[in-house]
Amino acid sequence: MGMCLPCLGGAVDDAVDTPDQETRRRQLAEAAEKRQKETANRGVKNPEAVERKRKKQEEIQKQTMSTSVSGGGLRWQVG
């Protein structure tokens, strides 16, 4: 007949030690970041290509904004 309670001399090795609060917070933060990355990349075959395309669009938009602010671009000529 086996003993099922650790206080009665059963399996003491089965007890689970919980990590301290700092370790637990770090683990939860890592898990949250992992979930966010998975959610962001859901349905995307090549996430690197999507990231490159997004950065290129931002760069083009920046250049367009700086060109329009500095007075560059097209000018009217009457001739």
Side-chain angles (χ1 to χ4, degrees):
M1 185 155 108
M3 297 193 183
C4 60
L5 300 174
C7 61
L8 298 176
V12 177
D13 296 334
D14 292 342
V16 177
D17 293 329
T18 57
D20 63 336
Q21 288 183 347
E22 187 61 35
T23 304
R24 185 70 177 145
R25 283 188 195 123
R26 184 177 42 81
Q27 290 173 343
L28 289 172
E30 289 172 357
E33 288 177 13
K34 183 179 176 185
R35 281 193 306 271
Q36 286 177 344
K37 286 181 182 178
E38 288 174 354
T39 302
N41 294 333
R42 182 170 289 159
V44 177
K45 290 183 181 179
N46 191 354
E48 292 85 18
V50 173
E51 185 66 23
R52 283 193 308 268
K53 187 175 181 180
R54 184 186 61 79
K55 286 183 180 181
K56 187 174 181 180
Q57 284 291 91
E58 288 177 357
E59 184 179 317
I60 291 171
Q61 187 178 15
K62 260 176 143 175
Q63 288 177 350
T64 304
M65 293 299 286
S66 67
T67 303
S68 63
V69 171
S70 65
L74 299 176
R75 294 186 181 173
W76 288 92
Q77 291 184 345
V78 179

